[in-house]
Amino acid sequence: FMTGPVGKFLHKPAGVLELSIALFILVVTVVQMVLTGKDSLDYLTLGQFSLNEFFANTMNIIVGLEFVKMLILHTPQAVTDVLLFAIARQLNIAQHEDQVMSGSELDALDDEQLQRRLGDIRVFARVTPAHKVRIVEAFRREGDVVSMSGDGVNDAPSLKKADIGIAMGKNGSDVCRQASDMILTDDRFATIVDAVSEGRHLYMNIQKAVIYLLSCNLGEIMSLFLAVICLPAVGAPLRAVQILWINLVTDAFPALALGVDPKENDVMRQPPRARSESLFAHGRMSYTGLNGMFIGTMTLVAFRWGLQRDLAHAQSMAFMVLSMSQLFHALNLRSLEHSLFRAGPFKNRWLILTVLFGIVLQVIVCELPAAQLLLGTVHLDGTSWAVVFALSASVIVINEFAKLFHSAR
């Protein structure tokens, strides 16, 4: 204990309190070994973990997940609440002695009283399976997402009641594993942090792909809608086959690349989401709508510029801007919060390859005679291409300013 949590975990010399706790645990353990004949040092346990293993394996989840609320410890009667509070304080879980509650104290409270004190308690000690179920139900009534870990048969009821029951794969009982939703094959609590991190990563990638597709399709709708309102006497800015080309080629590949986007560095620093939170919460709906309107507006600007020559030239410019602005917008989705350059524009090589491939493909369909015949495009001169690239890349500029303003707030 002294070389583990005091020397390695706390990274400082053992003080009087630490030495006193270690001596007390040593005495209790020796008495237990004499009376029971056991040679195990796993006296204080969290699940099947000994206290030393608990210190070594649990701190990562407490630091990494701010929504960890309490510990439920199986402890003998000889271990006092004072000792438990000292341990919890070292782990920075509890700050006051009244934040530790025993099973007998829990029995003295009705459900309403427990609900009122639930936010203050950080450690439950000497609890029964019925106590665990009651605690889980109390948290669920608060609207929290409850995760419960365990390894024994007596943990099965609370695992079943929790939103996410976590069983130990190595030393957990069969009943416990069957009642759980997730099994830790390595029996390490730090694995839960990794699982949450991967879950958040997958959720964010799905969110990016959905927002990208919706904003791009909204841009197509806005370009046609604005053309009808602002330029009613002129033909449509896009041909039907051009819209089909964009949906099949330009939209699909960047969305797939965003689906394998690397994990962001601050994924575990973000607060947990509420169970009822929408995919478009925190301004994501406005973000999608405004980007779609901006892409549609830039498409109409290109169309109006090309009308200085003829309708076919205008439609080709509008087609190029609409498709390329969507490709550039895919780079904005590398991070919904941070600048593209902070997130790293080249970290997702598949996205970079997709954008480059899309741009080259658009140049080919505009300059190759066979593609011109198929898609109704015409040759664009250097000035027209400069306007196309400037209008297309402007979606990155406007998003960078928006993220800068958001971070300043």
Side-chain angles (χ1 to χ4, degrees):
F1 177 79
M2 289 184 290
T3 59
V6 176
K8 297 179 181 179
F9 179 76
L10 298 178
H11 301 287
K12 63 181 181 180
V16 176
L17 177 61
E18 289 86 357
L19 290 173
S20 301
I21 294 174
L23 181 60
F24 181 85
I25 293 177
L26 180 61
V27 172
V28 171
T29 305
V30 172
V31 171
Q32 180 220 13
M33 293 168 61
V34 172
L35 295 178
T36 63
K38 295 181 179 179
D39 57 356
S40 171
L41 294 180
D42 296 346
Y43 207 143
L44 287 174
T45 61
L46 177 65
Q48 85 289 358
F49 288 93
S50 68
L51 183 59
N52 286 323
E53 292 172 341
F54 167 67
F55 274 116
N57 292 288
T58 308
M59 194 55 192
N60 286 333
I61 188 171
I62 294 171
V63 172
L65 305 179
E66 294 182 356
F67 51 90
V68 171
K69 291 202 170 184
M70 67 173 54
L71 302 176
I72 302 177
L73 298 174
H74 305 279
T75 59
Q77 295 295 329
V79 180
T80 64
D81 292 345
V82 176
L83 174 59
L84 293 175
F85 167 66
I87 297 171
R89 185 172 60 181
Q90 291 291 346
L91 288 171
N92 199 28
I93 297 175
Q95 304 300 326
H96 308 285
E97 291 187 15
D98 57 2
Q99 291 180 312
V100 179
M101 178 180 289
S102 64
S104 58
E105 293 174 312
L106 181 59
D107 286 329
L109 300 178
D110 58 27
D111 290 342
E112 185 177 345
Q113 291 172 325
L114 174 61
Q115 210 74 35
R116 286 198 300 266
R117 293 201 57 189
L118 199 60
D120 299 326
I121 305 301
R122 290 295 178 267
V123 178
F124 283 96
R126 297 185 291 277
V127 293
T128 65
H131 290 149
K132 297 177 187 178
V133 172
R134 190 180 174 193
I135 294 169
V136 170
E137 290 177 339
F139 270 112
R140 295 194 67 182
R141 284 195 296 268
E142 290 286 323
D144 293 325
V145 177
V146 182
S147 172
M148 182 74 184
S149 62
D151 66 329
V153 176
N154 61 340
D155 294 319
S158 54
L159 292 178
K160 201 69 176 177
K161 279 288 183 181
D163 293 288
I164 305 173
I166 305 173
M168 304 302 147
K170 288 183 178 179
N171 299 317
S173 64
D174 291 337
V175 175
C176 184
R177 287 197 291 266
Q178 291 173 4
S180 64
D181 302 294
M182 183 173 75
I183 299 175
L184 296 181
T185 56
D186 56 1
D187 284 9
R188 294 179 65 250
F189 283 110
T191 305
I192 302 176
V193 180
D194 298 331
V196 173
S197 177
E198 286 301 318
R200 290 185 174 189
H201 176 212
L202 292 174
Y203 180 90
M204 292 177 67
N205 283 358
I206 293 172
Q207 186 182 48
K208 292 175 184 178
V210 171
I211 290 177
Y212 170 75
L213 290 173
L214 287 179
S215 57
C216 291
N217 282 277
L218 183 60
E220 298 171 18
I221 295 172
M222 289 301 300
S223 62
L224 298 173
F225 179 73
L226 291 175
V228 172
I229 295 178
C230 301
L231 301 170
V234 186
L238 296 167
R239 296 190 177 191
V241 66
Q242 293 173 347
I243 297 175
L244 182 62
W245 173 271
I246 292 173
N247 287 330
L248 291 179
V249 179
T250 310
D251 285 357
F253 294 120
L256 292 174
L258 287 172
V260 294
D261 204 38
K263 188 187 304 181
E264 295 186 26
N265 296 330
D266 63 343
V267 65
M268 291 304 291
R269 297 191 185 98
Q270 299 177 9
R273 293 181 298 272
R275 65 171 73 233
S276 59
E277 182 177 298
S278 167
L279 193 69
F280 301 100
H282 307 294
R284 301 289 184 260
M285 182 62 74
S286 300
Y287 178 87
T288 304
L290 291 174
N291 273 287
M293 292 177 64
F294 184 81
I295 291 173
T297 302
M298 292 301 101
T299 302
L300 190 63
V301 170
F303 179 69
R304 182 65 184 84
W305 180 284
L307 284 175
Q308 298 176 10
R309 298 193 181 181
D310 54 52
L311 181 60
H313 191 87
Q315 287 178 332
S316 297
M317 289 191 66
F319 176 44
M320 292 297 109
V321 169
L322 181 59
S323 57
M324 289 189 182
S325 60
Q326 293 181 6
L327 293 172
F328 283 115
H329 182 48
L331 297 175
N332 291 325
L333 272 299
R334 281 258 28 246
S335 176
L336 295 170
E337 302 289 342
H338 306 301
S339 166
L340 167 63
F341 304 100
R342 178 180 171 182
F346 303 107
K347 286 186 177 181
N348 188 344
R349 62 176 182 176
W350 294 111
L351 183 60
I352 295 298
L353 291 174
T354 298
V355 171
L356 293 176
F357 173 75
I359 292 175
V360 171
L361 202 60
Q362 287 304 115
V363 174
I364 290 175
V365 300
C366 196
E367 299 297 332
L368 195 66
Q372 290 176 352
L373 183 63
L374 177 65
L375 297 175
T377 57
V378 297
H379 166 73
L380 299 180
D381 56 19
T383 303
S384 298
W385 277 117
V387 173
V388 165
F389 277 101
L391 293 176
S392 301
S394 64
V395 70
I396 293 182
V397 177
I398 196 68
N399 273 271
E400 287 299 305
F401 276 112
K403 291 175 181 178
L404 180 64
F405 176 76
H406 177 73
S407 62
R409 294 180 58 186

